[in-house]
Every structure is written in structure tokens, then in C-alpha cells.
Amino acid sequence: QQQVKQSPQSLIVQKGGISIINCAYENTAFDYFPWYQQFPGKGPALLIAIRPDVSEKKEGRFTISFNKSAKQFSLHIMDSQPGDSATYFCAASHGGGNKLVFGAGTILRVKS
Amino acid sequence: SQTIHQWPATLVQPVGSPLSLECTVEGTSNPNLYWYRQAAGRGLQLLFYSVGIGQISSEVPQNLSASRPQDRQFILSSKKLLLSDSGFYLCAWSQDSPLHFGNGTRLTVT
């Protein structure tokens, strides 16, 4: 049972553009929402994370927007660069634990 | 600093053969340890997690098992591999947040 739905499956963005990836969750007990970035042949690495007490978190060019009532959260990559080309996963967990439930992933390609 | 080692990086095994993948963590004690499997288009699926030596929780019934013989060692095993066991296997550790992954093992069962 997929508890976190991620879209789109793949995304092509021009260099300098904005990349937007969306996730929706079902379990209202989730209280931790991280995004992971994965390059080919590597394990995923934490990119940015948010908790439901805030609606937005920004770190450099990466921003998470969180809508608790809609049970949705999204990743925005501003000024997208070819080096951002990777697979991005959203995830969620509850109780402060790390039994993360992952979305299916989005393959991002930034064209130069 | 903490590091996680996972090996081998790639593995090709025939159907019916045994499997042993090893993961070790350095620079921390009593971490929570996890095995995930990544299949194309299906994200990361949690297979096993452990909160201490000898304590293993299975998330998905399957042909695999896990063991934690030492505090910072986590092993994924199978007695007889199936074709459906092919995939990218990732070990991870945590102490509170966040979750840190190794670089994975690409397993191909032929």
C-alpha cells in the first residue's frame, strides 16, 4: 500500500528554470517530511526536511512547501542547474522515528 | 564522523544460490539499522529494521532475512535466491533524524 504518492514520474526543465515535484500523503500521523536526492549508482542523500509546524522551509535554491490541510508537500528547485539532474524522493514518517515511507521517485533532467 | 560501508557494490547470482550482503557503520554506537530495496518506478521499500543487537523487525514477508550480530553490523541473507529478488539494496542508519544511506548493492539474479 503506497502511503506517499509522488508526481511527476519524470521531469525535464531548462537550465535556470524552476523544478517542482509534488507529494501527497494519507497518514495524518506523519510528522516528518524529508526529501532525498539520489545520483546514479549512489544511495539517496538527505536534501531538505520539514515538520508540519511550518508551511515552508528554504535552504539555498531548495524550498519545501507544506499544506497540512491538503496533506500535500512539494519541492521547488529554483534556478535549476544540470548538476541537479538526479532522482528525487519524498518521504514521510511519524513519531520521530526513521521508518520512512518513500514516494516512487521523480527523475529530474535539467537541460543546459 | 559517521560512515556507512556496504558491499559488494554489484553482484550477479544464479537462481537458487545463497545471498549475504553486509553493512557496517563506523563512528557511532547503538544506531538503528535498516535494509531497503529499490525497484525501478517503485521507490524504496523498507525490508528490515533493527534497534539493537539481535533485534530484527520484518516489514515485508519475503525470501530474505536479516541479522545483526554486532552493534554496527547488519547482514541481509537468503538461502535460495529468486528472480524477483533482483534489485538495488540499500543499508541505512539513524540516531534520531535523519536517515543516512550507504551506496547500495546492485543484485542481479539470473
Side-chain angles (χ1 to χ4, degrees):
Chain A
Q1 179 184 3
Q2 185 180 16
Q3 298 184 53
V4 179
K5 295 183 179 180
Q6 183 173 344
S7 62
Q9 192 172 19
S10 62
L11 181 62
I12 300 175
V13 174
Q14 291 290 335
K15 179 182 176 181
I18 302 173
S19 303
I20 302 175
I21 305 171
N22 301 298
C23 283
Y25 63 96
E26 301 168 1
N27 189 343
T28 55
F30 286 152
D31 60 3
Y32 176 66
F33 303 90
W35 284 89
Y36 280 78
Q37 180 188 55
Q38 184 181 31
F39 293 106
K42 301 294 185 182
L46 179 68
L47 187 62
I48 187 172
I50 197 169
R51 294 194 182 272
D53 53 341
V54 296
S55 60
E56 185 176 282
K57 182 175 182 179
K58 183 176 181 180
E59 290 184 2
R61 296 185 293 111
F62 301 91
T63 300
I64 298 180
S65 298
F66 183 79
N67 186 329
K68 187 175 182 178
S69 61
K71 292 186 290 184
Q72 295 176 347
F73 59 111
S74 60
L75 176 70
H76 294 234
I77 306 175
M78 311 300 289
D79 187 26
S80 298
Q81 299 296 313
D84 297 330
S85 297
T87 300
Y88 293 81
F89 293 95
C90 62
S93 66
H94 70 88
N98 291 105
K99 289 176 62 179
L100 290 170
V101 177
F102 284 85
T106 296
I107 301 172
L108 171 65
R109 178 185 166 204
V110 180
K111 297 174 65 176
S112 58
Chain B
S1 64
Q2 301 89 354
T3 56
I4 180 169
H5 301 280
Q6 197 178 337
W7 67 92
T10 58
L11 188 61
V12 180
Q13 292 283 99
V15 168
S17 65
L19 173 73
S20 180
L21 301 181
E22 188 165 341
C23 171
T24 60
V25 180
E26 296 178 355
T28 186
S29 59
N30 198 31
N32 294 332
L33 297 174
Y34 307 80
W35 280 110
Y36 280 85
R37 178 168 58 200
Q38 183 174 9
R42 296 183 62 186
L44 293 92
Q45 181 186 38
L46 179 62
L47 302 177
F48 302 95
Y49 74 96
S50 171
V51 298
I53 296 174
Q55 302 178 59
I56 308 294
S57 296
S58 174
E59 293 294 304
V60 181
Q62 58 207 322
N63 186 43
L64 303 169
S65 62
S67 62
R68 184 171 177 174
Q70 300 180 42
D71 180 45
R72 292 169 291 175
Q73 183 185 30
F74 207 22
I75 298 172
L76 183 69
S77 304
S78 174
K79 293 182 179 179
K80 290 184 178 181
L81 283 169
L82 307 173
L83 286 173
S84 59
D85 291 324
S86 293
F88 191 47
Y89 289 84
L90 289 155
C91 180
W93 73 273
S94 72
Q95 276 185 326
D96 303 320
S97 302
L99 196 64
H100 304 275
F101 286 91
N103 281 328
T105 295
R106 174 72 61 188
L107 172 66
T108 303
V109 182
T110 61

